[in-house]
Amino acid sequence: MGVIEKAGGSVHNLAAKRANKHRKKVDPRIKAEHAFDLDYAKLAEAGYYHPDAKASQLALELRAVKRRLLRRIGFLRASGERQSHRMPGRQRNLIMVTSARAGEGKTFNAVNLALSLALEDQIETLLIDADVPRPRVRDRFGLAAGPGLTDKLLDPSLNIGSLQYRANQAPLSILAEGARIERASELFANEDCQRLLAELSTQTPDRLIILDAPPVLATTEAVVLAKYVDEIVFVVEANATPEPAVASAIDELLDINPNLSLMLNRCLIGAGGSHYGSYEYYGPGGEAKSAMPSRAEGVCNEAI
Ligand SMILES: Nc1ncnc2c1ncn2[C@@H]1O[C@H](COP(=O)(O)OP(=O)(O)OP(=O)(O)O)[C@@H](O)[C@H]1O
Ligand SMILES: [Mg+2]
């Protein structure tokens, strides 16, 4: 059972309280025009998380994914309790979502994780669109065109707070991709990028930062970013991503960062494959285990 469910009360009252609470928390450096409303209906129409659908398959699977992820990065104790205090300094709060190839569900899962963490668990979350060649986060949230990550990297004097969008209903901020540039990997390889991510990580130790990255086999950005992040969530599209592609992409990442979990997307579960599930983890003994290189840590699906 999720935190919000435990709290009880009517959905509408909770939603109103949440909205007020987070309105007050908005970073004062963020300009008013950068506050936005989450359009739950539009997101749900595209298959994304909806805060009222607490018992949906997606919500249940997201809870299992989050619990595992939060434990791995030290946000949750083994008992399942939230760590009451995160020590200042370098935090394990930078998470990159990537996959082997295009279209396997990176953005879908990065957005859903961010929505679910912010809306259900009230965890301060920053979602960064680091997929400069194929940015999708701005569209998903209906945000207007404007500067973002690449602009900050090209001009470090820009105020990072003023580049972010802040949701009115939840502790969720978004940093969009920014200006289109040809070789984002060169920009990401620059020490300014490492510095920026380290600053974002330490600035707010209780905040989770989720980077929606490009696919590993298409460009070099994800491999460059792998150096800076604390955890990699590697999305595998069930029955679609060829095993050699998974193995070669994961091998590249593991050479740089051993903290990698696999997330199986679009898997069919239930009797006769009739039930559609959005998330599944590879677990010991899981049916897709053969696609998991021996060095990757598999995670199993557990309900909260
Ligand atoms: N589990 C899922 N359930 C329903 N729709 C999904 C699921 N996973 C992905 N999709 C849809 O499939 C399409 C491709 O997914 P998505 O954009 O997340 O892939 P991607 O890996 O980010 O692609 P790209 O490499 O182009 O950035 C999108 O329309 C997305 O909404
Ligand atoms: Mg994407």
Side-chain angles (χ1 to χ4, degrees), residues 48 102-108 131 134 140 215 265-266 276 278:
Y48 286 81
E104 294 176 306
K106 295 176 289 298
T107 303
F108 184 82
D131 193 344
R134 296 176 77 158
R140 279 288 149 237
N265 189 34
R266 288 180 178 279
Y276 180 74
S278 320

Side-chain angles (χ1 to χ4, degrees), residues 227-280:
K227 273 188 237 156
Y228 314 142
V229 299
D230 302 302
E231 186 72 21
I232 299 168
V233 174
F234 187 92
V235 176
V236 177
E237 189 176 0
N239 304 315
T241 316
E243 190 176 328
V246 174
S248 113
I250 287 180
D251 267 348
E252 265 200 72
L253 293 170
L254 288 175
D255 278 341
I256 293 158
N257 189 333
N259 299 309
L260 185 147
S261 316
L262 301 183
M263 182 186 278
L264 187 60
N265 189 34
R266 288 180 178 279
C267 61
L268 291 165
I269 55 173
S274 57
H275 189 92
Y276 180 74
S278 320
Y279 289 91
E280 183 61 89

Side-chain angles (χ1 to χ4, degrees), residues 46-107:
Y48 286 81
Y49 174 85
H50 191 295
D52 293 347
K54 295 183 175 58
S56 68
Q57 188 68 36
L58 177 63
L60 295 174
E61 286 160 356
L62 276 168
R63 264 174 228 147
V65 170
K66 285 184 300 183
R67 189 166 72 155
R68 185 74 190 194
L69 184 63
L70 293 175
R71 273 205 210 143
R72 283 179 57 85
I73 59 173
F75 264 63
L76 280 187
R77 295 177 206 278
S79 63
E81 276 172 70
R82 181 91 58 87
Q83 288 279 20
S84 53
H85 180 62
R86 303 265 293 171
M87 297 297 285
R90 187 75 182 86
Q91 301 300 327
R92 285 184 47 74
N93 56 1
L94 282 167
I95 300 155
M96 175 173 80
V97 179
T98 189
S99 73
R101 307 183 310 179
E104 294 176 306
K106 295 176 289 298
T107 303

Side-chain angles (χ1 to χ4, degrees), residues 85-141:
H85 180 62
R86 303 265 293 171
M87 297 297 285
R90 187 75 182 86
Q91 301 300 327
R92 285 184 47 74
N93 56 1
L94 282 167
I95 300 155
M96 175 173 80
V97 179
T98 189
S99 73
R101 307 183 310 179
E104 294 176 306
K106 295 176 289 298
T107 303
F108 184 82
N109 287 295
V111 167
N112 272 330
L113 271 177
L115 284 170
S116 172
L117 286 162
L119 284 160
E120 186 170 76
D121 303 293
Q122 301 295 304
I123 291 178
E124 182 68 46
T125 305
L126 169 63
L127 174 62
I128 301 180
D129 196 342
D131 193 344
V132 179
R134 296 176 77 158
R136 295 282 182 271
V137 173
R138 192 188 287 283
D139 269 10
R140 279 288 149 237
F141 290 98

